[in-house]
Amino acid sequence: MADVAHSGNSMDNEDDGDRPEPDQEPVTGRGRRRKNKKQRSFWKELPILIGVALLLALVIQTFIARVFVIPSESMEQTLHGCPGCYGDRVLVDKLVYNFTEPEPGEVIVFERPSTWNRSEFQADRSSNGFVSWLQDVGAAFGLAAPDEDDVVKRIVAVGGQRVECCDDQNRVLVDGKPLDEPYIYWSGGPREQEPFEPVTVPDGQLWVLGDNRNRSCDSRCQGGGGTNGLVPVDNVIGKARYIVLPPSRWRGVGDHDPQVTDVALRFGLPLGVGFAAAFPTLWLGRRVRTAVRSIRSGESSGSAGDKQ
């Protein structure tokens, strides 16, 4: 009897029982099943998440924006910082002055110049080194009062301008023109500004005043006044943008330019720009409507011709 020829791969001769089942996990060289990686538990990932969040917050606070606590009443009522109350937390833009120069009317936070010899508040810092360090960290994140070297004021005059006080209506003058200051607040005492000698602001310097005019030690009194009261532009930390806490105080921080006293100029210029922009817009709109109508008319004529 002739032998039956076998064809195909030798695998055909293997017992079906030796083949791995489809659902069976692959086996390692040592005969052990490969185990899936175990996911990290939430409690192991939590410290990593906290560390990343703190790192991002530190980068933002250092280079982009910082939350600053208003520690004194010198900027009332624009910014709350009354003694014993919950002071405003203000978002300070640290990028803006990389591209522009500080302008009159802007509320700024800056490092106290070396010529300033008075502080408007006493920083409540613990004598314990570790606790004091924690307070400094909290101040950097807007959770505690800042140190005594951080100050917030409003710019009144910039380099090249001459500032003096006051005219017969008790207004500060810049380059001989009275300022328009609707933000001034009188928390007590006479509603009269303390006069000071005329000062010409050098380039790269700023003359700053507090909105709570007679409860603020600013360029008028720091270092005895005069040029000692000026603030170098290099000392500016940033521009106060928004009040972020408490929720009842959510709003932007105004930057009304006190040197623009002409109401017609203040409102007329934006209005004129609006009118100037309106004419091209209307013209373009009419051209587009005319083109659309022409296209529709052509399509209607074509359809009528096809039917004839």
Side-chain angles (χ1 to χ4, degrees), residues 38-284:
K38 188 177 180 181
Q39 293 183 347
R40 287 196 187 100
S41 68
F42 170 76
W43 298 110
K44 289 182 178 180
E45 290 185 346
L46 183 60
I48 299 175
L49 294 175
I50 294 175
V52 171
L54 289 175
L55 180 60
L56 289 175
L58 181 62
V59 170
I60 291 172
Q61 294 269 7
T62 303
F63 300 104
I64 301 175
R66 173 186 169 187
V67 176
F68 181 86
V69 179
I70 303 303
S72 74
E73 60 180 341
S74 68
M75 285 298 292
E76 293 280 356
Q77 292 185 337
T78 303
L79 301 175
H80 285 355
C82 51
C85 72
Y86 187 84
D88 286 344
R89 269 62 175 171
V90 179
L91 184 66
V92 176
D93 181 350
K94 302 183 72 173
L95 280 178
V96 60
Y97 295 132
N98 291 332
F99 307 100
T100 62
E101 293 295 324
E103 297 290 342
E106 295 176 344
V107 178
I108 59 171
V109 174
F110 56 92
E111 296 177 4
R112 188 157 58 112
S114 59
T115 55
W116 285 34
N117 57 358
R118 295 173 59 181
S119 178
E120 294 181 322
F121 77 104
Q122 298 296 319
D124 185 16
R125 291 291 186 268
S126 171
S127 58
N128 183 289
F130 179 70
V131 175
S132 178
W133 177 79
L134 289 178
Q135 290 174 325
D136 289 337
V137 172
F141 289 92
L143 302 176
D147 60 37
E148 298 174 16
D149 290 331
D150 292 333
V151 188
V152 56
K153 301 292 180 188
R154 189 184 296 271
I155 301 172
V156 167
V158 297
Q161 297 184 321
R162 178 183 172 87
V163 58
E164 58 187 308
C165 183
C166 292
D167 66 359
D168 55 0
Q169 297 183 38
N170 195 37
R171 295 175 297 183
V172 174
L173 305 171
V174 173
D175 292 336
K177 297 179 180 179
L179 298 181
D180 175 47
E181 299 187 280
Y183 44 74
I184 287 182
Y185 175 67
W186 311 96
S187 61
R191 293 174 172 263
E192 183 176 347
Q193 301 191 63
E194 299 177 5
F196 54 86
E197 294 296 324
V199 176
T200 298
V201 182
D203 290 338
Q205 301 283 333
L206 304 170
W207 183 271
V208 298
L209 297 175
D211 289 357
N212 193 357
R213 194 51 52 90
N214 285 344
R215 292 294 180 92
S216 171
C217 187
D218 39 47
S219 292
R220 299 169 298 173
C221 66
Q222 291 287 356
T227 56
N228 285 341
L230 296 170
V231 176
V233 172
D234 291 341
N235 283 42
V236 176
I237 296 172
K239 177 182 178 180
R241 290 285 192 184
Y242 305 101
I243 300 173
V244 295
L245 285 175
S248 60
R249 294 270 300 158
W250 284 348
R251 68 195 68 180
V253 179
D255 55 359
H256 170 83
D257 187 347
Q259 296 185 19
V260 181
T261 56
D262 191 335
V263 176
L265 179 61
R266 182 182 303 137
F267 296 101
L269 182 59
L271 189 61
V273 172
F275 273 117
F279 283 108
T281 303
L282 290 173
W283 177 83
L284 182 61

Side-chain angles (χ1 to χ4, degrees), residues 11-60:
M11 292 289 293
D12 296 335
N13 300 326
E14 293 181 4
D15 189 354
D16 292 339
D18 294 333
R19 298 178 182 176
E21 295 295 331
D23 296 332
Q24 182 176 337
E25 293 183 351
V27 180
T28 63
R30 295 182 181 180
R32 291 179 303 197
R33 290 184 177 180
R34 187 180 299 158
K35 296 182 179 180
N36 293 330
K37 288 185 177 179
K38 188 177 180 181
Q39 293 183 347
R40 287 196 187 100
S41 68
F42 170 76
W43 298 110
K44 289 182 178 180
E45 290 185 346
L46 183 60
I48 299 175
L49 294 175
I50 294 175
V52 171
L54 289 175
L55 180 60
L56 289 175
L58 181 62
V59 170
I60 291 172

